[in-house]
Amino acid sequence: MERKEKTILLRPAKPEFEEGLQFAHYLDQAAEGFFRIMLGRESESIIATAYIDRGHSLSYEHVIFAEVDTKIVGMSSSFTEKQQRMFSEEPLQSAAKRNVIRLKLMRILFAPIWRILETIPEGDFYVQGIAIEAEFRGAGIGSILMQEIENRARASGSTRLSLDVSAKNDGARRLYKRLGMVESSKWPNSSFIPTVFIRMTKYL
């Protein structure tokens, strides 16, 4: 029996709480649980609440969803270096409510990582996160999302695409290399401490 190929549709995210929950799920997946550590058990609800607002890194404005048969199966979040410099932390802090003290303490504890992640060189278009449902991996959705990101980067006038990927995520690193990205730096930059994440870049 011939297998029917499913159509993959990309669309901009909408400022809706339910979509925000899906975004939060994918974002934490891309960050390997980092946001749950930062915000606690209510992390998805907190991020979904902030997601509805504009002007910050977790806003719906920067999100693209991938759909198959109207079902969301993946997402990407990306923005320019100029946008990043204008971001406010107020929407996330406001959404965190009683967890805001935890958020601030975690920001202090993970300060070295935050400094690296928030250091986006001038002219870069930064990919904050990209994630695909497990059952749809290998179907080319990651490549399609990355091509759309690259199109947006070029349209924005950015000169380089950049992202940070876990050193343990061999599958993602292979995908990015296949799409022309190279490993430009790592953190921590030490031969005595295991690498946590790698910054990959591509000139446009």
Side-chain angles (χ1 to χ4, degrees):
M1 185 175 178
E2 194 174 314
R3 185 178 176 183
K4 186 179 179 181
E5 291 293 325
K6 293 185 177 293
T7 301
I8 300 163
L9 172 69
L10 301 187
R11 67 163 176 84
K14 295 176 283 191
E16 299 174 355
F17 183 79
E18 290 303 317
E19 280 200 2
L21 288 174
Q22 291 180 287
F23 165 69
H25 166 73
Y26 285 124
L27 184 66
D28 202 49
Q29 178 182 310
E32 300 189 354
F34 183 68
F35 285 91
R36 182 170 289 270
I37 293 171
M38 290 285 292
L39 298 167
R41 289 178 297 176
E42 298 176 46
S43 61
E44 291 191 359
S45 178
I46 291 169
I47 291 172
T49 300
Y51 163 93
I52 297 169
D53 287 335
R54 300 168 64 92
H56 62 104
S57 63
L58 304 180
S59 172
Y60 73 93
E61 304 169 274
H62 316 298
V63 179
I64 304 169
F65 282 120
E67 291 183 335
V68 171
D69 295 335
T70 71
K71 175 189 175 183
I72 294 175
V73 297
M75 77 90 201
S76 69
S77 175
S78 54
F79 39 79
T80 68
E81 162 267 332
K82 288 181 181 178
Q83 288 174 314
Q84 192 265 350
R85 281 193 279 115
M86 301 297 291
F87 285 159
S88 167
E89 292 191 11
E90 195 280 329
L92 182 60
Q93 291 181 357
S94 177
K97 295 181 180 176
R98 66 176 181 272
N99 292 301
V100 71
I101 295 175
R102 176 193 177 105
L103 173 61
K104 290 179 178 179
L105 287 173
M106 291 296 104
R107 287 293 301 248
I108 293 170
L109 182 62
F110 290 102
I113 293 179
W114 278 111
R115 277 198 298 272
I116 297 296
L117 296 177
E118 292 180 344
T119 302
I120 304 175
E122 185 176 349
D124 271 21
F125 195 87
Y126 184 72
V127 184
Q128 177 177 230
I130 183 167
I132 313 296
E133 286 289 349
E135 63 183 289
F136 287 92
R137 290 172 194 162
I141 297 174
S143 297
I144 293 171
L145 281 167
M146 285 299 295
Q147 184 58 59
E148 177 63 18
I149 289 169
E150 186 169 327
N151 292 343
R152 287 189 169 201
R154 292 180 186 278
S156 74
S158 299
T159 56
R160 194 175 72 160
L161 199 60
S162 63
L163 57 83
D164 293 298
V165 61
S166 168
K168 299 182 294 183
N169 196 337
D170 293 331
R173 289 166 62 191
R174 284 196 299 270
L175 168 64
Y176 301 141
K177 285 181 179 179
R178 196 162 64 244
L179 296 175
M181 303 191 78
V182 297
E183 298 180 359
S184 57
S185 63
K186 64 179 183 177
W187 186 90
N189 187 17
S190 169
S191 42
F192 303 103
I193 304 173
T195 300
V196 176
F197 60 81
I198 296 167
R199 178 154 292 186
M200 301 189 69
T201 57
K202 177 183 179 179
Y203 283 96
L204 301 173

